[in-house]
Every structure is written in structure tokens, then in C-alpha cells.
Amino acid sequence: MVAEKYVIESGFPYPMGATPMDGGVNFALFSGNAEKVELCLFDGEGGETRLELPSHEGTVFYGFVRGIGAGQRYGYRVYGRADAEAESCFNPQKLLLDPYARQTDGKPGFRNAEEMAWFRPEDGRDNAAFAPKSVVRGDDGFDWGGDRRPRIPLAQTVIYEAHVKGLTKQFPDLAHAGTYRALSDARVIAYLKDLGVTTVELLPVQQHLDEYHLQQAGLSNYWGYNTCAHFAVEPSYAAEAEQAAAELKQAVKSLHTAGLEVILDVVYNHTAEQDEAGAMLCQRGIDNARWYWHKPHGGYENWSGCGNTLRIADRDVARWASDSLRYWAEHFHIDGFRFDLGTVLGRGPDFRTDGHFFQTLYQDPVLADVKLIAEAWDIGGDGYRLGQFPPPFAEWNGRFRDDMRAFWVWENGNLGAFAERLAGSSDLFRHGGRKPSASLNFITAHDGFTLRDLVSYNEKHNDANGEGNRDGHNGNISYNHGIEGTTDDADIRQSREYTAKALLSSLFLSNGIPMLLGGDEFGNSQQGNNNAYCQDNPIAWLDWQDADKMLQDYTKSLIALRREIGILNENIWWTEGRVCWLNADGVPMNHENWHDRTAKSMQVLLDGQWLLLVNGARNRQFFNLPQGRWQVSCVPSEKFNYNVSENRFAAGHMGIWVLKQEA
């Protein structure tokens, strides 16, 4: 099957993947247990030419092919001893993607057992006709002009979490709605700037697949946390699939021009090959034993909850992951990364703060200069590792989410927990030289209820997902305020508004990095679905038509206020000299005050200039203010009374009321 027109030479063991060079393309693939690797080149009619990679050094097979270039479709057939006990799945009848592929052609379908069989390692049929192909990519000549990273200081960072499609799909009168091009639209960017956020965090844009059970159910993986090509841009979000990379680059460039950063949510904890019954598309057939963690007596360790767990502790796998991150940072000018199920990255198999991959990132001159954010858990044993990631990581602070929800939504009156989270969670992060920016504070995220649903539902309503409402979190710390779901009851709607505003004010007035779920600023709802990962429809798309303008304006005022309060922009731990904790009578909090769950109110004086009046109950609360002349700066409603002569303030309901000392 080898055609004479192709000449293959020794080549180079690095860079990995397919790299266009003068006169041809260099190919390099790592496999510690393979015996032989064939490079398969495909012409425009689907004809295949197989060339054995002639060189082998350490774990890398490589070769240089003359006469080809960008646009060439290819794949690999990997030979070795199939040994279930050794966890190897070699089968040269299955065409495999390059784990370094920067573009792919075709998408595998396995809507039923018959289709899945073509991608199973035990199947003896050649599947090249159905398998996706890797595509060689060269320099696309994108003009970055004078693009520069905004380099927003951590203490001044305000993150807006959004889905490329969901953010803009229903944005009014928008060309190319739901695509990368829409992110470049001047009106979308103007909205983000006017809101006051500094950084857009995008759910995965690396190419992904729909899981087997979703394909069977006729659904799709909307969120995209099922990556199959970690170097390739997801083409379904592009106005023109062939221009996906260029469209994403233009979006980043446009956002940068406006002073906005772009962070990508990335998945290096598992791949789309799923569990033992899943498809063999790439890593499983290249070197199953090296790419994945395995149980002592067979089968995958499923610390990701998605069927398999990548063995990032392996030297070659760690290099693949860091190469991928560096590619996005260098070629797409990405400003940072949020790591899904980040505990996996430190496993070896036990979690270590000084894990191999963390050391790799720390030593990389490119990756050391971008924002790194970890989701500090996985579902393995001892998987919850909040506060244990090494600098310079920030961490999604689930304790902030839970303690603030309990304080406001359930009115638990735990002033101690509230104060600890407001002050930056020093109990979790103040060690090893870490600063408050280690705490990424959030009330809601893509995974769970939206803010509107958090105050409108006691129970999840995930029936549309087709799993009998069994999926999604059960412990949401939510409250429907008397009626489940939507209602015309004015009192309930108002009570929900107050609770939502209280949660938002806690988010933006806390020490640390705030993250806002896109749409929460205007009351977006998912109809009670707290796991909308497979809802590529109006359930998960932001509903701009039904936006709550009043809530939107309040959110904007909070973000602006955050910029104005100096101590929130300094990335320092709060000290007694700058922060005073007072009870409702204006007296410093004592032991009894901190443990009185019935009081539910306090005052926080920042730098003697800003006063936060915290009313954690749904009824009216009186405050005797510290000495000074105070002016009302930001309030959740007009239901208050300030008696200047008596220096006494009456907050009409739950919330945080902000006053400023007159000059």
C-alpha cells in the first residue's frame, strides 16, 4: 500500500504531532509499549497510503515525509501485543487520531451498539472509512497586529463565565449568533465592558464528542467537557467550520482590543474514549497502559466520573498536556486556563501539592505567565483538595458558595462563616505565601442552578436530560420562597429579588476573585435544570429577551463599587488596623455576637471609609452607625431609612447596604 510518490526519512522526535517543515511534514507520536507505528495518509478520494515511521527513540516514533503539507489528512495504526492483563489495546485495524492533531476531519458516530462496534478494540474490521482523520495545519497567517494581553492584576479581575454558543445565540439581532464571530461583535463586547467584567471565561472550545448514552438518546454534549482533540478548535461554534481557528483568534483579538481577557475552561482529567465499553479513537489504541490510570486488578480508575482518568503523572502525558496549553497560549493568545476536576492533575496516584504536572507548569516560561485556576476536587478518594494547590493557582472556592448560600438562602445566621468568606477565606488559603486571589469566589457556575433558579426552586428539574431526574446535584442549598418555579405572586418575586441581590453583593464585596455566571446579572433561568450539560436549546441559552433590567443595573453598580473600594483591589489579607467587625449596635463583635445565630446582622468597616451593613434576615434591621457622616452609596432597594441626626440606619429587608464616609 506504500506509494512511491511519498518519501519517508528519519525526521525528528520533537516537536510532537504533525509539523510542516521545508519540503514536507515531520510526524512524531509517543507510545511506550508499541512495537510499530504506521502513518496513514489519505488522498482526496479516500485512498490510503501506509508508511511505517522509521525512527524510534525512547518512547517516540517519528519520521519526515516529503512532498506533503498543510491540509494533508492522516491517522495512525499502532501495532503491539494485545494483552488485557497489561491493559494494552493494540489493534492496527483501527485508525487512530493524533493526540496532537490541530484539526480533525469527520466525527465518529456511535448511536447504537452496531455503530460502536466499529470503534471497539476487540473488533477485527478495518474502520478507516468511518474513523475521523487528523489534518496537518500550518501557519494560517492570522494578522494579530499589535495584540497584547490585557494582563489584569488578580485583585482587579472580575470573571464572567459563559458558553460561546449560549452567550450569543439569543442575543437580539446578532449576525452569526452563537458563534465565535458573535464574540467579536461590537455590541456583545460593549455589553461586557458596560457590565464591568474584566475577564471572559469560556466553557470548553477544544474539540469534543457526544457521549455514547447521549447519542443513543438523540442529545448532545452542550457544555463540551468530553474532549477528543485537545489541540483542535471546536468547529460547531464557527460560522464557517473551516475557519474555526481564525474565528476564535479574531474573537480573542477583539476582546483584547477592548481590554478584556480570555480564559479557557480545559479538560485534562479524561478523554472522550469513556470507560471500558467506550470507543477506541486515540489514546486507548496508542498506549492504553501509559495514557490512563488503571485499577490494580483491571479496568479504569474513574476519578473523573466520565469513565477514565488521564495519567498526567506520566512524563510523556504531562508533556502532551503542557504542550497543548502552551499552544493555546502562544497561537491563540489565551490569557489563562481553568482546569476541570483539577485534583486529577496532582495525582500520582495520590494527590501531591508538588505533583509532577504542577512542577512542569511552574517551570514553563509561557505557562508561568498566564492565569491558572483549579477546580479543586475529583471524585476519587480524598479528592476534595480545596486550599491545597500550589501558587500561582487560584481555586474555585466551593466553601464560599456553600457558606454564602446557607447564610442568605437558608438564613442560618452563621456570622463567623460569613465573615471568613467575605474576608478571603484565610482559613483555607493563608499559607505558603498565598494571597486572597487564591480564592476564586462564586455563588453559581455552569454546573448547578442559575442564580434565578437558586431562589426559585427547592428541587432540581432535570427531566429533559433523559435520566429520570437522577443526574445533577441534590444538595443545592436553594429555596423557592413559597412556590416552586415561576410565579406571579408579587411578594414571592420581591423576596426572591432581595435574596438574589444579597448573594450578588456578597460576591462582589468579598476579598478574592469574583466569578459571575453569565446571565445571572439579569435573572436568566434554566427552568430548574441544574445540570443542563446536554441542553443545546433555549433551556441553556441565555434569555436576553426576558432580562431583568433592574437586577442588571444593580449588578453593574456592585462591580463599579468594587473598583472604588481600595482594599478590595490590593490583594492583601484583612487586618484589624484596616477592618473592624461591629455588631448592629456599632460595638466591636465579641465571642457572644459571633456565635449568636439569632442576630444575623453585623457591620463591616473598611479603612474607616466604607461601611457594609449586613442584614441576614428577611425582616427590618436597625443599625447604630459608627461616628461620622455617612452617605448612602449602594443599596438593594429604596426600602431603608437613614436618620442622620441619630446616626441610625434601618434596613428594610435582607441584603448588604453600603455607606461611604463623607470627606
Side-chain angles (χ1 to χ4, degrees):
M1 299 179 70
V2 178
E4 295 182 0
K5 66 176 181 178
Y6 294 114
V7 177
I8 189 164
E9 302 171 356
S10 177
F12 308 94
Y14 196 84
M16 301 295 293
T19 307
M21 298 179 176
D22 289 343
V25 177
N26 191 78
F27 295 88
L29 180 75
F30 115 75
S31 178
N33 293 297
E35 297 172 351
K36 182 176 77 170
V37 174
E38 284 182 341
L39 169 68
C40 305
L41 303 177
F42 294 86
D43 60 28
E45 287 72 43
E48 176 185 356
T49 299
R50 302 184 189 182
L51 304 170
E52 181 178 350
L53 292 181
S55 303
H56 182 201
E57 180 178 327
T59 59
V60 181
F61 292 80
Y62 56 97
F64 179 82
V65 181
R66 294 193 175 277
I68 62 173
Q72 175 66 55
R73 298 187 307 149
Y74 70 100
Y76 289 111
R77 298 180 186 272
V78 181
Y79 294 74
R81 186 169 61 90
D83 188 340
E85 188 173 330
E87 305 295 349
S88 61
C89 295
F90 297 114
N91 182 349
Q93 296 302 312
K94 305 305 174 186
L95 187 75
L96 304 174
L97 286 169
D98 182 353
Y100 278 79
R102 299 184 180 187
Q103 183 180 337
T104 68
D105 178 34
K107 192 173 184 178
F110 24 80
R111 295 162 294 182
N112 51 55
E114 182 179 349
E115 290 184 348
M116 173 62 81
W118 284 100
F119 298 96
R120 291 291 300 153
E122 70 275 8
D123 186 84
R125 298 170 295 176
D126 190 309
N127 75 344
F130 310 103
K133 315 297 188 297
S134 303
V135 180
V136 177
R137 281 192 64 88
D139 182 4
D140 58 11
F142 183 81
D143 181 10
W144 283 101
D147 181 70
R148 292 186 178 183
R149 300 184 191 278
R151 300 180 67 89
I152 308 295
L154 287 170
Q156 297 169 26
T157 299
V158 178
I159 296 176
Y160 188 84
E161 189 195 32
H163 187 282
V164 170
K165 184 174 185 178
L167 174 64
T168 64
K169 183 63 177 177
Q170 299 188 108
F171 198 94
D173 304 318
L174 189 66
H176 307 295
T179 70
Y180 302 118
R181 286 190 186 178
L183 282 178
S184 301
D185 190 278
R187 290 184 298 146
V188 174
I189 292 175
Y191 173 82
L192 296 170
K193 289 292 291 183
D194 184 60
L195 184 60
V197 299
T198 68
T199 306
V200 179
E201 180 178 314
L202 298 175
L203 268 65
V205 299
Q206 295 173 331
Q207 191 168 343
H208 67 272
L209 292 178
D210 302 324
E211 291 90 334
Y212 182 34
H213 75 278
L214 291 180
Q215 292 196 36
Q216 287 179 305
L219 297 170
S220 63
N221 189 318
Y222 168 69
W223 283 351
Y225 291 91
N226 196 46
T227 313
C228 67
H230 290 73
F231 287 72
V233 179
E234 173 55 46
S236 67
Y237 301 153
E240 299 179 51
E242 289 297 318
Q243 297 299 315
E247 289 184 21
L248 177 58
K249 289 178 181 179
Q250 183 58 56
V252 173
K253 180 180 177 181
S254 298
L255 290 163
H256 280 180
T257 299
L260 295 167
E261 294 179 313
V262 180
I263 288 176
L264 297 186
D265 204 335
V266 291
V267 183
Y268 295 93
N269 56 72
H270 76 283
T271 75
E273 292 184 310
Q274 298 187 257
D275 60 15
E276 291 84 357
M280 188 165 84
L281 305 168
C282 181
Q283 288 92 345
R284 178 173 288 164
I286 293 170
D287 196 340
N288 188 49
R290 291 288 295 275
W291 276 95
Y292 298 113
W293 285 108
H294 297 270
K295 296 176 182 178
H297 303 293
Y300 292 116
E301 292 285 9
N302 188 21
W303 301 323
S304 68
C306 300
N308 63 63
T309 306
L310 279 165
R311 198 167 180 259
I312 297 294
D314 182 276
R315 185 181 69 163
D316 290 290
V317 179
R319 182 168 73 172
W320 162 81
S322 59
D323 284 349
S324 173
L325 294 167
R326 194 182 315 109
Y327 172 70
W328 291 97
E330 291 185 323
H331 290 261
F332 290 84
H333 293 200
I334 298 303
D335 300 286
F337 303 94
R338 179 265 184 186
F339 295 90
D340 181 62
L341 298 180
T343 296
V344 166
L345 305 179
R347 285 194 177 274
D350 296 327
F351 179 86
R352 292 181 58 92
T353 297
D354 61 350
H356 175 69
F357 185 63
F358 297 149
Q359 300 288 357
T360 300
L361 295 184
Y362 189 74
Q363 295 167 9
D364 190 297
V366 173
L367 301 178
D369 193 39
V370 300
K371 288 182 168 73
L372 301 175
I373 302 168
E375 183 182 28
W377 72 284
D378 64 23
I379 69 169
D382 297 322
Y384 193 65
R385 293 290 177 166
L386 183 62
Q388 299 177 40
F389 280 70
F393 274 93
E395 302 175 38
W396 271 27
N397 189 348
R399 286 283 298 279
F400 180 94
R401 172 199 60 205
D402 294 346
D403 286 345
M404 287 303 187
R405 286 187 182 187
F407 184 80
W408 295 113
V409 180
W410 284 359
E411 297 181 82
N412 71 356
N414 192 336
L415 292 170
F418 172 85
E420 187 70 75
R421 302 301 152 233
L422 189 78
S425 298
S426 62
D427 60 330
L428 299 171
F429 299 107
R430 194 172 185 177
H431 59 82
R434 302 187 80 183
K435 295 186 175 182
S437 58
S439 176
L440 192 146
N441 303 325
F442 67 106
I443 299 296
T444 58
H446 67 274
D447 187 1
F449 279 142
T450 67
L451 180 63
R452 171 64 61 83
D453 291 352
L454 185 70
V455 300
S456 303
Y457 294 90
N458 285 348
E459 308 294 338
K460 63 186 182 183
H461 295 264
N462 299 353
D463 295 297
N465 296 354
E467 299 179 41
N469 205 36
R470 295 183 300 273
D471 61 304
H473 300 294
N474 292 313
N476 296 286
I477 317 180
S478 64
Y479 177 43
N480 66 17
H481 293 77
I483 294 177
E484 189 78 351
T486 58
T487 178
D488 293 327
D489 187 299
D491 290 338
I492 290 178
R493 289 166 66 94
Q494 187 174 73
S495 186
R496 289 175 176 177
E497 173 197 330
Y498 295 155
T499 307
K501 286 183 174 179
L503 290 162
L504 286 169
S505 60
S506 293
L507 176 64
F508 292 111
L509 297 175
S510 291
N511 204 10
I513 302 174
M515 183 186 79
L516 176 70
L517 172 63
D520 274 358
E521 73 274 17
F522 59 73
N524 184 65
S525 172
Q526 292 179 170
Q527 303 170 32
N529 192 319
N530 77 346
N531 189 35
Y533 79 105
C534 58
Q535 297 301 317
D536 188 2
N537 55 55
I539 290 177
W541 303 338
L542 299 196
D543 184 4
W544 295 93
Q545 302 297 329
D546 196 31
D548 183 338
K549 186 65 166 58
M550 183 170 58
L551 185 63
Q552 195 174 61
D553 289 342
Y554 182 66
T555 305
K556 184 164 55 174
S557 70
L558 285 171
I559 297 175
L561 180 63
R562 178 181 180 84
R563 290 196 299 268
E564 195 176 346
I565 299 176
I567 197 170
L568 293 178
N569 295 273
E570 297 180 37
N571 205 12
I572 61 171
W573 295 108
W574 291 1
T575 61
E576 289 185 7
R578 300 190 64 177
V579 180
C580 296
W581 306 90
L582 312 172
N583 63 22
D585 292 326
V587 177
M589 296 278 286
N590 57 31
H591 183 272
E592 183 179 342
N593 296 145
W594 285 118
H595 292 85
D596 182 1
R597 293 293 186 94
T598 64
K600 301 184 181 180
S601 61
M602 67 187 306
Q603 303 180 63
V604 188
L605 182 60
L606 305 175
D607 285 333
Q609 183 182 15
W610 296 94
L611 186 63
L612 312 183
L613 306 179
V614 180
N615 178 18
R618 303 188 194 281
N619 52 280
R620 196 178 193 193
Q621 175 65 48
F622 291 94
F623 295 91
N624 291 320
L625 307 184
Q627 289 186 345
R629 295 179 59 85
W630 299 97
Q631 62 183 26
V632 177
S633 179
C634 183
V635 295
S637 80
E638 297 302 317
K639 290 188 176 183
F640 68 91
N641 180 268
Y642 178 27
N643 188 319
V644 178
S645 62
E646 296 182 5
N647 212 21
R648 186 171 171 83
F649 190 98
H653 52 76
M654 168 183 285
I656 298 181
W657 312 74
V658 184
L659 309 183
K660 183 179 182 181
Q661 183 81 271
E662 291 185 6

